[in-house]
Amino acid sequence: MNWISNVVRPKISSFLNRREVPENLWVKCPETGQMVFHKDLEANLYVIPGSGFHMRMDPMSRLRSIFDGGKWFDVALPAVAADPLKFRDEKRYVDRLKDARAKTGAQDALKVGYGKLDGLPVTVAVQDFGFMGGSLGMAAGEAIVTGLETAVSRGTPFIIFASSGGARMQEGILSLMQMPRTTCAIQELREARLPYIVVLTNPTTGGVTASYAMLGDVQLAEPGALIGFAGPRVIEQTIREKLPEGFQRAEYLRDHGMVDLVVHRHEMRDTLARLCRLMMRAPKHTEARLPADAAAPATV
């Protein structure tokens, strides 16, 4: 045995067979600094065990936590023009979209599913802050309108989990047009006498707060969620006054009448099930079958 066999070959072998360690193996609590193993955090619905801090939740995890058995049918969403204004700042808008799609695996910031919640058919939309800050553009507007139309045609409640920084600036006036469009679609749901339930998650701001996120028959929020139109710093600089403690947080808005309930994520599914049954006048534990024309389940 020589130096090449004893030293060089093992080092080359270890270099070639080096295992990649995921960057998100451990997650740090923003409030306490507690480190949580990512699998434990996922099993706890992305709530930090020690502090109870609610981390952001991706749409697939959110839908799995709401629907019976973690199964639902994806609602097909219409395609829209990718870059109608040919927008460019430091980077082309089409390149930003490509990066966001590669990062999240989604086409845009909103996902809509149809399935059963405690045996009752419901339509659920989830906004993904990880996709360009959950910004409201034409694709997200079309997704919400399609979800509301699906709820009307199938006679189900519509639940939306809002999380957004506001309208998408790269689409200009076309993104702002989604505010009245979604409002009109919500009115059609109301005319059909079907419930519209909004769950405000962290953060929900800008044009989303100024439209569909504040039009629910029932307004729920997750603990500690930032909810408002402009950010606290902008407001302080405008009015030149110090804001109250906890201003624009879910608990503050509940105490001042803008939110009906602040619900812990572990209790969200049961709370939504009770609300849907109450508003639909459906007896408890009634099994309602999904229509035969529904597509194959999105998850197993």
Side-chain angles (χ1 to χ4, degrees):
M1 302 295 287
N2 55 29
W3 179 78
I4 293 178
S5 300
N6 292 336
V7 179
V8 177
R9 283 181 181 172
K11 284 192 175 291
I12 292 174
S13 178
S14 65
F15 177 78
L16 294 176
N17 298 323
R18 185 175 295 170
R19 294 174 62 186
E20 293 294 331
V21 178
E23 292 181 3
N24 61 344
L25 199 60
W26 292 87
V27 180
K28 186 177 181 180
C29 175
E31 284 189 344
T32 64
Q34 177 188 357
M35 299 299 291
V36 183
F37 187 54
H38 76 108
K39 287 290 184 183
D40 295 337
L41 186 64
E42 184 179 349
N44 203 42
L45 298 181
Y46 296 91
V47 178
I48 302 292
S51 64
F53 184 87
H54 285 50
M55 304 291 287
R56 291 189 186 121
M57 203 171 183
D58 64 273
M60 295 294 285
S61 299
R62 181 77 72 175
L63 292 173
R64 275 195 296 267
S65 73
I66 296 299
F67 287 114
D68 292 352
K71 297 179 181 179
W72 70 90
F73 303 98
D74 278 333
V75 174
L77 304 176
V80 300
D83 185 11
L85 303 181
K86 307 298 180 189
F87 191 93
R88 183 187 184 112
D89 45 23
E90 296 176 351
K91 198 174 183 181
R92 292 191 308 163
Y93 178 40
V94 287
D95 293 333
R96 291 189 184 277
L97 284 174
K98 286 178 184 176
D99 291 345
R101 286 167 181 168
K103 177 184 173 185
T104 63
Q107 284 301 300
D108 210 88
L110 214 116
K111 187 173 182 64
V112 183
Y114 168 75
K116 290 193 289 185
L117 170 59
D118 193 27
L120 188 71
V122 294
T123 306
V124 180
V126 182
Q127 209 159 1
D128 183 9
F129 193 82
F131 192 105
M132 296 185 70
S135 50
L136 174 63
M138 291 191 299
E142 285 289 350
I144 295 169
V145 171
T146 301
L148 287 161
E149 289 174 347
T150 300
V152 170
S153 65
R154 298 192 183 278
T156 73
F158 186 78
I159 303 167
I160 185 165
F161 289 84
S163 178
S164 176
R168 189 171 297 174
M169 70 171 191
Q170 290 90 346
E171 296 183 15
I173 189 64
L174 299 174
S175 67
L176 297 178
M177 286 172 61
Q178 307 313 310
M179 297 167 64
R181 288 189 71 238
T182 53
T183 302
C184 291
I186 292 167
Q187 185 57 36
E188 291 180 9
L189 187 76
R190 290 219 169 95
E191 289 173 0
R193 303 181 69 82
L194 294 168
Y196 176 52
I197 301 173
V198 178
V199 182
L200 302 163
T201 69
N202 185 49
T204 304
T205 60
V208 169
T209 310
S211 55
Y212 59 86
M214 290 309 244
L215 295 176
D217 299 314
V218 179
Q219 296 284 139
L220 306 180
E222 290 189 333
L226 175 67
I227 304 161
F229 182 70
R233 186 176 59 182
V234 174
I235 296 173
E236 283 187 339
Q237 290 174 349
T238 303
I239 66 175
R240 301 178 187 277
E241 289 184 20
K242 185 69 177 173
L243 296 173
E245 186 68 27
F247 182 76
Q248 288 188 323
R249 294 292 172 176
E251 293 78 8
Y252 184 92
L253 297 184
R254 175 199 59 199
D255 295 342
H256 290 78
M258 288 188 70
V259 168
D260 296 308
L261 285 172
V262 176
V263 184
H264 194 284
R265 194 172 287 164
H266 291 168
E267 301 170 1
M268 186 64 72
R269 174 181 152 82
D270 290 341
T271 301
L272 289 172
R274 287 197 302 272
L275 284 171
C276 288
R277 288 199 172 280
L278 177 66
M279 299 171 80
M280 293 293 288
R281 299 181 179 179
K284 194 174 181 181
H285 301 310
T286 297
E287 282 295 329
R289 292 185 178 181
L290 294 173
D293 62 340
T299 63
V300 246

